Amino acid sequence: DGGITQSPKYLFRKEGQNVTLSCEQNLNHDAMYWYRQDPGQGLRLIYYSQIVNDFQKGDIAEGYSVSREKKESFPLTVTSAQKNPTAFYLCASSIGTGYTFGSGTRLTVV
Amino acid sequence: KQEVTQIPAALSVPEGENLVLNCSFTDSAIYNLQWFRQDPGKGLTSLLLIQSSQREQTSGRLNASLDKSSGRSTLYIAASQPGDSATYLCAVSVMNSNSGYALNFGKGTSLLVTP
């Protein structure tokens, strides 16, 4: 079945560490997105990519980095510069205006 | 910047009731509007997609309307069931040369249907 796979489901980060969240899709979608969800805040756009080897900052890109070396993959790195990384992270892909979301990764700072 | 507001933030109803969730947006220059469902700790499931040229979409017990000129959409759920309990998110899509069809989300309505 086609879809988006996010891993891991749960991730714990120590202070000062970088961690990478995986997002893989087999839908042949060109566009991929990363959103952050906090309680009571709704979803906010971190980064997006329309094609391979190209990506743009969203509304809250500070402290995050991405790469898009393959069409299927759009990993998100949460760097030590992100001071409040505890949140639920959702990856999505789209073709035209049809969006598909992954099941999310919950990141907690310990 | 496009702002999306959902009212109410939370709603509790007994099983069998019909209910309406509201969504408003500040800029009417949208490409489409989507309603999503999110279960606790899960991703988003698309429920209904309304193109800007359309007035409504229906899927089973769900009906979504769109009044682009007034910046409003409603999601109507008929004969609610406990399995409908979830958070419902409204998102508008705007065309941007850099981000394509980026989605702007409301904060959601948390629905609880009691048996």
Side-chain angles (χ1 to χ4, degrees):
Chain A
D1 287 339
I4 295 183
T5 301
Q6 289 189 241
S7 62
K9 187 174 178 66
Y10 299 97
L11 186 58
F12 298 90
R13 191 194 93 167
K14 293 182 179 179
E15 295 281 351
Q17 272 187 341
N18 293 351
V19 291
T20 297
L21 284 60
S22 171
C23 178
E24 303 278 335
Q25 55 102 355
N26 60 3
L27 299 165
N28 200 33
H29 286 175
D30 288 318
M32 297 188 75
Y33 307 80
W34 274 105
Y35 288 89
R36 170 179 170 143
Q37 187 176 34
D38 296 279
Q41 291 273 358
L43 275 73
R44 293 180 290 171
L45 184 64
I46 305 172
Y47 266 99
Y48 49 91
S49 169
Q50 296 299 307
I51 57 172
V52 174
N53 293 323
D54 184 64
F55 47 83
Q56 302 290 334
K57 293 181 179 180
D59 299 323
I60 55 166
E62 185 175 351
Y64 300 97
S65 65
V66 294
S67 63
R68 188 85 187 276
E69 298 176 0
K70 299 186 300 181
K71 187 176 186 177
E72 302 79 15
S73 179
F74 191 41
L76 173 74
T77 296
V78 184
T79 74
S80 57
Q82 170 51 240
K83 297 308 178 187
N84 185 24
T86 295
F88 189 53
Y89 291 86
L90 285 161
C91 179
S93 70
S94 72
I95 184 164
T97 57
Y99 268 71
T100 301
F101 280 82
S103 57
T105 293
R106 184 165 298 280
L107 174 63
T108 304
V109 174
V110 295
Chain B
K1 185 180 183 301
Q2 178 76 264
E3 298 289 340
V4 181
T5 302
Q6 292 187 245
I7 295 173
L11 183 61
S12 180
V13 300
E15 181 177 8
E17 274 203 8
N18 302 324
L19 56 98
V20 174
L21 308 182
N22 297 290
C23 174
S24 62
F25 46 95
T26 54
D27 187 347
S28 62
I30 65 170
Y31 194 79
N32 61 39
L33 183 144
Q34 301 184 53
W35 285 93
F36 293 90
R37 168 183 172 140
Q38 185 177 30
D39 292 288
K42 306 292 186 182
L44 275 62
T45 300
S46 180
L47 297 174
L48 290 165
L49 168 66
I50 311 176
Q51 301 293 348
S52 62
S53 59
Q54 297 175 321
R55 297 284 293 182
E56 67 176 345
Q57 283 287 336
T58 297
S59 176
R61 294 182 294 108
L62 305 180
N63 175 276
S65 67
L66 173 64
D67 184 343
K68 199 172 75 162
S69 61
S70 67
R72 296 178 185 276
S73 175
T74 61
L75 178 66
Y76 176 83
I77 302 177
S80 58
Q81 302 171 357
D84 295 330
S85 298
T87 296
Y88 292 80
L89 294 163
C90 170
V92 297
S93 176
V94 296
M95 179 56 183
N96 180 291
S97 59
N98 290 326
S99 64
Y101 298 102
L103 289 176
N104 295 276
F105 283 88
K107 295 181 179 180
T109 293
S110 178
L111 173 65
L112 176 65
V113 181
T114 56

